[in-house]
Amino acid sequence: MGGPFARSPREHSDEPLPGFKLAYPMLAADGASCGFSGVTLGRAHVYRAVDDAICAHGSRHACPSRWCDCGFYCFHEMGSARDLACEPDHRSAVLLEVAASGRYRRYERGLRYARQRVKTVRIGRCECGRPADLLADSGAGSVGWRRLLPVCRNCAADRPVLGPERFAELAGGVEVVLEGRPTGLADDEEQAPVAASPEVPAEDPGTVAVLSAEVAVLHARLDETLSRLEEVQARLDELTRRDRP
């Protein structure tokens, strides 16, 4: 049936669709497994590397519903996820490369979908700006889960940390990539080139000769002045001796 109330066709994919998103890395309270939580909707829900979406509002309908904002979300392009990571609230998130499948709905910049498999976890920078190579306890989390924070070894200090290899193992064998510094920032070893100072023109030989002559004249005048001062001092000493009884 046509018309304005015609039901839109249901979109379903048996083949995985690629996508990119941000997430917070999470560690179970017993330390036996790792997962992820969203950075916006569904932040309180922790999902596994392979998982099915549930409604964050507690409804039991199938995800994603056209009447609800539930489901997993991802961008079509990695650049969109990187742009979102520039916001202060999301600087401590990691970037996920995912494969979306099952029911899905399209939106302008990505997908909202039912089933997800995390393929790659990309860890960026520490809050200090250095490349992060560890995941530390951030002090935040949800019931049964601790949120992890990408840190460098300097900032990790004495906090409990998890290496990328161990995180990959506890998350179910996902690939973990340490991305280091983003394009545009110089590494510690490769500093940005320093602007060269303007060259000082070589002195003209004639100018050097004139300056040398002037210096010689000044030295001669200084010697003459010192000689006169010595004469004055000697005269004062002589007058002082005459005045003594």
Side-chain angles (χ1 to χ4, degrees), residues 103-114:
R103 292 162 48 96
Y104 69 91
R105 294 187 178 277
R106 299 180 185 273
Y107 69 99
E108 182 180 358
R109 302 175 66 186
L111 298 173
R112 185 162 61 97
Y113 51 98

Side-chain angles (χ1 to χ4, degrees), residues 5-12 64 66 103-106:
F5 300 104
R7 178 174 296 180
S8 59
R10 179 178 299 175
E11 295 182 290
H12 185 282
R66 64 181 302 185
R103 292 162 48 96
Y104 69 91
R105 294 187 178 277
R106 299 180 185 273

Side-chain angles (χ1 to χ4, degrees), residues 56-89:
H57 305 293
S59 299
R60 296 185 178 181
H61 54 245
C63 298
S65 170
R66 64 181 302 185
W67 310 113
C68 184
D69 56 7
C70 60
F72 290 122
Y73 284 75
C74 73
F75 293 107
H76 291 310
E77 304 291 338
M78 183 183 292
S80 299
R82 291 194 187 279
D83 290 344
L84 183 61
C86 292
E87 292 191 7
D89 291 343

Side-chain angles (χ1 to χ4, degrees), residues 19 25 46 69-70 82 112 120 150 165 174-175 207 230-231 243:
V46 176
D69 56 7
C70 60
R82 291 194 187 279
R112 185 162 61 97
T120 304
E165 297 83 4
V174 300
E175 179 186 18
T207 303
E230 290 177 356
E231 292 178 0
D243 291 340

Side-chain angles (χ1 to χ4, degrees), residues 113-128:
Y113 51 98
R115 186 169 178 79
Q116 174 178 271
R117 178 171 63 88
V118 177
K119 299 166 56 181
T120 304
V121 180
R122 296 184 176 274
I123 299 176
R125 293 181 295 161
C126 176
E127 289 182 339
C128 72

